[in-house]
Amino acid sequence: ASAFKAFGEGVVKKIPMILTYGEFTSNLFVTGQVKRIVRWNVFKETRYPDIQTMTEMPLTSMTVFDRTTPDASDQQENLLLAGFYDGVCKLFDLRIPTHSQIVQRFGETVRSKSTAVVNVHIKPNNDNKIIYTAHSSGDMCFWDLRKSKCAAGIDRYQPLAHEAPKTLSVVSNNLKTVAFHNYAPVMACGSHDQGIRIWNIWGDKLNDIKFHEGFMGQKVGPSISLAFHPFDYKLVSAGLDNCVTVYGKSTQPQSLRY
């Protein structure tokens, strides 16, 4: 077991604490309504120097480029991608000294600026160098990691001629939660209308899970968290109705009440 205190007593806690874990490096990253990201090594029980975000905006989502196979790039385990409340995403190189770790910025010149980043994602062993960002306005942006502008993303499991759009609008507004599949080119979106929409990265809607009323009451509550199985076509949704629902390809959804 390992435990540590990320923030002191004087920190104002108006937004939830955000955590992400790098399995290969055993590093836990924690942040909240502060201008820094705390880095804790679970295996060594050591706290590394804090990562300075260099902005007053709170951080809303982050992910670490974690190496999952031995043949992956050694550089990926030292990169951290973070999204902020103003719609900007920043890429941090953890090998650089603390006050100059920001090596790339995304989202400063697109329509989704000024809308909070709901989720940031990069697929494991990302050979095509594409990152995915979801904004509360309902826009999905695909970015070229080597540049600071939107670029047409090409999934490595699809023909090279089939390109994704630079941006994709999945809902009109008030996007609450988004999940990206690690290997399949699909994503799930939950919004305030108590529905879950399944899209592919080329803008095709694959499924629409909506709530309905029945003699047993409401079947699908507002989704507050979505997650895909790392390898299988399964989606988990946690709702405000205290239910966790598992959706599969062809089977009936299974709900667990907690």
Side-chain angles (χ1 to χ4, degrees), residues 149-167:
K149 62 180 181 180
C150 287
I154 302 176
D155 193 274
R156 59 179 176 149
Y157 295 109
Q158 299 293 334
L160 294 179
H162 198 180
E163 295 186 353
K166 296 181 180 180
T167 60

mmCIF file of all heavy atoms in Angstrom, residues 149-167:
data_model
loop_
_atom_site.group_PDB
_atom_site.id
_atom_site.type_symbol
_atom_site.label_atom_id
_atom_site.label_comp_id
_atom_site.label_asym_id
_atom_site.label_seq_id
_atom_site.Cartn_x
_atom_site.Cartn_y
_atom_site.Cartn_z
ATOM 1 N N LYS A 149 -1.648 22.192 -34.744
ATOM 2 C CA LYS A 149 -2.897 22.465 -35.456
ATOM 3 C C LYS A 149 -3.643 21.163 -35.714
ATOM 4 O O LYS A 149 -3.061 20.076 -35.655
ATOM 5 C CB LYS A 149 -2.621 23.174 -36.772
ATOM 6 C CG LYS A 149 -1.778 22.377 -37.744
ATOM 7 C CD LYS A 149 -1.545 23.159 -39.026
ATOM 8 C CE LYS A 149 -0.725 22.360 -40.026
ATOM 9 N NZ LYS A 149 -0.504 23.111 -41.268
ATOM 10 N N CYS A 150 -4.949 21.291 -36.009
ATOM 11 C CA CYS A 150 -5.752 20.125 -36.330
ATOM 12 C C CYS A 150 -5.221 19.487 -37.609
ATOM 13 O O CYS A 150 -4.837 20.167 -38.546
ATOM 14 C CB CYS A 150 -7.217 20.499 -36.512
ATOM 15 S SG CYS A 150 -8.064 20.898 -34.973
ATOM 16 N N ALA A 151 -5.225 18.176 -37.621
ATOM 17 C CA ALA A 151 -4.789 17.446 -38.801
ATOM 18 C C ALA A 151 -5.682 16.237 -38.984
ATOM 19 O O ALA A 151 -6.162 15.656 -38.013
ATOM 20 C CB ALA A 151 -3.330 16.999 -38.659
ATOM 21 N N ALA A 152 -5.926 15.872 -40.240
ATOM 22 C CA ALA A 152 -6.760 14.713 -40.525
ATOM 23 C C ALA A 152 -6.090 13.473 -39.958
ATOM 24 O O ALA A 152 -4.952 13.158 -40.292
ATOM 25 C CB ALA A 152 -6.966 14.572 -42.026
ATOM 26 N N GLY A 153 -6.779 12.781 -39.069
ATOM 27 C CA GLY A 153 -6.214 11.606 -38.432
ATOM 28 C C GLY A 153 -6.474 10.352 -39.245
ATOM 29 O O GLY A 153 -7.547 10.152 -39.782
ATOM 30 N N ILE A 154 -5.485 9.489 -39.351
ATOM 31 C CA ILE A 154 -5.628 8.230 -40.059
ATOM 32 C C ILE A 154 -5.390 7.117 -39.057
ATOM 33 O O ILE A 154 -4.326 7.033 -38.456
ATOM 34 C CB ILE A 154 -4.622 8.117 -41.216
ATOM 35 C CG1 ILE A 154 -4.810 9.282 -42.197
ATOM 36 C CG2 ILE A 154 -4.778 6.790 -41.945
ATOM 37 C CD1 ILE A 154 -3.791 9.298 -43.305
ATOM 38 N N ASP A 155 -6.400 6.284 -38.865
ATOM 39 C CA ASP A 155 -6.246 5.174 -37.940
ATOM 40 C C ASP A 155 -5.399 4.085 -38.591
ATOM 41 O O ASP A 155 -5.599 3.744 -39.748
ATOM 42 C CB ASP A 155 -7.615 4.612 -37.553
ATOM 43 C CG ASP A 155 -7.509 3.678 -36.369
ATOM 44 O OD1 ASP A 155 -7.247 2.489 -36.600
ATOM 45 O OD2 ASP A 155 -7.666 4.142 -35.235
ATOM 46 N N ARG A 156 -4.479 3.532 -37.850
ATOM 47 C CA ARG A 156 -3.549 2.580 -38.454
ATOM 48 C C ARG A 156 -4.203 1.250 -38.793
ATOM 49 O O ARG A 156 -3.603 0.415 -39.453
ATOM 50 C CB ARG A 156 -2.371 2.330 -37.510
ATOM 51 C CG ARG A 156 -2.742 1.777 -36.144
ATOM 52 C CD ARG A 156 -1.494 1.562 -35.318
ATOM 53 N NE ARG A 156 -1.818 1.135 -33.976
ATOM 54 C CZ ARG A 156 -1.037 0.335 -33.259
ATOM 55 N NH1 ARG A 156 0.054 -0.143 -33.770
ATOM 56 N NH2 ARG A 156 -1.374 0.010 -32.031
ATOM 57 N N TYR A 157 -5.436 1.017 -38.327
ATOM 58 C CA TYR A 157 -6.136 -0.215 -38.653
ATOM 59 C C TYR A 157 -7.112 -0.042 -39.806
ATOM 60 O O TYR A 157 -7.877 -0.936 -40.110
ATOM 61 C CB TYR A 157 -6.883 -0.736 -37.423
ATOM 62 C CG TYR A 157 -5.962 -1.146 -36.316
ATOM 63 C CD1 TYR A 157 -5.866 -0.407 -35.150
ATOM 64 C CD2 TYR A 157 -5.146 -2.278 -36.444
ATOM 65 C CE1 TYR A 157 -5.010 -0.775 -34.131
ATOM 66 C CE2 TYR A 157 -4.274 -2.646 -35.433
ATOM 67 C CZ TYR A 157 -4.219 -1.902 -34.274
ATOM 68 O OH TYR A 157 -3.361 -2.266 -33.274
ATOM 69 N N GLN A 158 -7.103 1.130 -40.454
ATOM 70 C CA GLN A 158 -7.991 1.400 -41.569
ATOM 71 C C GLN A 158 -7.160 1.740 -42.811
ATOM 72 O O GLN A 158 -5.986 2.095 -42.704
ATOM 73 C CB GLN A 158 -8.935 2.566 -41.231
ATOM 74 C CG GLN A 158 -9.836 2.289 -40.040
ATOM 75 C CD GLN A 158 -10.841 1.186 -40.328
ATOM 76 O OE1 GLN A 158 -11.207 0.958 -41.462
ATOM 77 N NE2 GLN A 158 -11.278 0.503 -39.282
ATOM 78 N N PRO A 159 -7.763 1.647 -44.010
ATOM 79 C CA PRO A 159 -7.029 2.025 -45.220
ATOM 80 C C PRO A 159 -6.538 3.464 -45.144
ATOM 81 O O PRO A 159 -7.209 4.345 -44.603
ATOM 82 C CB PRO A 159 -8.073 1.844 -46.326
ATOM 83 C CG PRO A 159 -9.043 0.860 -45.778
ATOM 84 C CD PRO A 159 -9.092 1.108 -44.293
ATOM 85 N N LEU A 160 -5.379 3.727 -45.701
ATOM 86 C CA LEU A 160 -4.779 5.051 -45.610
ATOM 87 C C LEU A 160 -5.611 6.112 -46.317
ATOM 88 O O LEU A 160 -5.508 7.291 -46.002
ATOM 89 C CB LEU A 160 -3.367 5.016 -46.211
ATOM 90 C CG LEU A 160 -2.341 4.155 -45.466
ATOM 91 C CD1 LEU A 160 -1.007 4.204 -46.185
ATOM 92 C CD2 LEU A 160 -2.195 4.623 -44.030
ATOM 93 N N ALA A 161 -6.444 5.706 -47.271
ATOM 94 C CA ALA A 161 -7.244 6.681 -47.996
ATOM 95 C C ALA A 161 -8.459 7.148 -47.195
ATOM 96 O O ALA A 161 -9.113 8.115 -47.571
ATOM 97 C CB ALA A 161 -7.721 6.080 -49.319
ATOM 98 N N HIS A 162 -8.746 6.474 -46.083
ATOM 99 C CA HIS A 162 -9.923 6.821 -45.289
ATOM 100 C C HIS A 162 -9.492 7.731 -44.146
ATOM 101 O O HIS A 162 -8.997 7.275 -43.121
ATOM 102 C CB HIS A 162 -10.572 5.556 -44.744
ATOM 103 C CG HIS A 162 -11.988 5.783 -44.308
ATOM 104 N ND1 HIS A 162 -12.764 4.781 -43.787
ATOM 105 C CD2 HIS A 162 -12.771 6.896 -44.319
ATOM 106 C CE1 HIS A 162 -13.964 5.257 -43.491
ATOM 107 N NE2 HIS A 162 -13.974 6.533 -43.799
ATOM 108 N N GLU A 163 -9.642 9.012 -44.324
ATOM 109 C CA GLU A 163 -9.153 9.980 -43.360
ATOM 110 C C GLU A 163 -10.278 10.492 -42.478
ATOM 111 O O GLU A 163 -11.434 10.575 -42.884
ATOM 112 C CB GLU A 163 -8.503 11.164 -44.087
ATOM 113 C CG GLU A 163 -7.244 10.778 -44.852
ATOM 114 C CD GLU A 163 -6.557 11.990 -45.419
ATOM 115 O OE1 GLU A 163 -7.142 13.088 -45.330
ATOM 116 O OE2 GLU A 163 -5.442 11.859 -45.940
ATOM 117 N N ALA A 164 -9.920 10.841 -41.272
ATOM 118 C CA ALA A 164 -10.886 11.410 -40.342
ATOM 119 C C ALA A 164 -10.941 12.924 -40.524
ATOM 120 O O ALA A 164 -9.975 13.540 -40.956
ATOM 121 C CB ALA A 164 -10.490 11.084 -38.902
ATOM 122 N N PRO A 165 -12.074 13.558 -40.196
ATOM 123 C CA PRO A 165 -12.136 15.012 -40.276
ATOM 124 C C PRO A 165 -11.280 15.654 -39.199
ATOM 125 O O PRO A 165 -10.944 15.023 -38.198
ATOM 126 C CB PRO A 165 -13.624 15.299 -40.059
ATOM 127 C CG PRO A 165 -14.111 14.130 -39.273
ATOM 128 C CD PRO A 165 -13.328 12.954 -39.748
ATOM 129 N N LYS A 166 -10.943 16.917 -39.403
ATOM 130 C CA LYS A 166 -10.143 17.615 -38.404
ATOM 131 C C LYS A 166 -10.931 17.838 -37.121
ATOM 132 O O LYS A 166 -10.392 17.743 -36.031
ATOM 133 C CB LYS A 166 -9.657 18.944 -38.975
ATOM 134 C CG LYS A 166 -8.710 18.792 -40.160
ATOM 135 C CD LYS A 166 -8.250 20.137 -40.668
ATOM 136 C CE LYS A 166 -7.296 19.994 -41.844
ATOM 137 N NZ LYS A 166 -6.834 21.294 -42.354
ATOM 138 N N THR A 167 -12.200 18.176 -37.248
ATOM 139 C CA THR A 167 -13.078 18.334 -36.094
ATOM 140 C C THR A 167 -14.390 17.637 -36.388
ATOM 141 O O THR A 167 -14.797 17.496 -37.543
ATOM 142 C CB THR A 167 -13.350 19.824 -35.779
ATOM 143 O OG1 THR A 167 -13.966 20.443 -36.910
ATOM 144 C CG2 THR A 167 -12.060 20.539 -35.421
#
